[in-house]
Amino acid sequence: YGRYTGQATQIRAGEYRLTAGMTPDTLLALLVSGKSVTYSLTLLEGWTIAQVRAALAGHDVLVQTLQDVDNQQLMVRLGRPGEHPEGRFFPDTYQFTRGMTDLEFLQRALRTMDAELAAAWASKADDVPLTSAYEALILASIVEKETGQASERAQIAGVFARRLQKGMKLQTDPTVIYGMGDRFDGNLRRKDLQEDTPYNTYVHTGLPPTPICMPGRGALQAAVAPAAGNTLYFVAKGDGSHAFSATLSEHNAAVRKYQLGQ
């Protein structure tokens, strides 16, 4: 029938979903349209590279080619030798057809983050204390981990920007937790805040050496355009939001109120 109608050479390879009662002409039209069955996989904001790789490995349609490849070798295969993979992939929902490999999927997510980061960096405010787009990516990853409230991201980025400008330690728990790796059991102790890891921002001044997760578009924008103000501290209020303070005494009062229930 395809040859008879002159469409045989227009049939496209792919995976197609057929339905009961489909006629030859509707089947041929589907094969010519190239509308293959599509699948999706969502990378969530705040995920680490370990969580990304676990999600890819658990997808039953992606062709698995990275089972025995470590993170260093992964970046070589992606054409980025020597780069750290953390934070390099953009969190989003990706559509694909059967036959795509896990490496090809990551290449798409990598290119998307490249574009998103470049766009954010191009809109950077003049007074932001960051010297490179990579530093913006690092800061954005911290902002991503510190709050799930979209309305707070710029405020939290503002606190960190002012701390960087003043030479104050960032003192942000998510970096400490990231530096602990698998040793973190859900309870952050005082001794953990004193442990000298490259990611402990209670010990080291400035940004950690790499991102600590995948930041989304909102966190990227907050990092390059933080909210103005004079706040230098914030504490979780227990409802997902934070109380911001300009002085240590105000902060200690907020800690007593929201953390200690006094």
Side-chain angles (χ1 to χ4, degrees), residues 205-222:
T205 303
L207 294 166
T210 75
I212 59 172
C213 72
M214 291 188 303
R217 186 177 293 115
L220 287 170
Q221 192 57 44

Side-chain angles (χ1 to χ4, degrees), residues 1-2 7 17-31:
Y1 182 63
Q7 299 179 82
R17 181 169 287 114
L18 310 186
T19 58
M22 183 174 278
T23 62
D25 57 335
T26 56
L27 171 57
L28 181 59
L30 177 63
L31 300 180

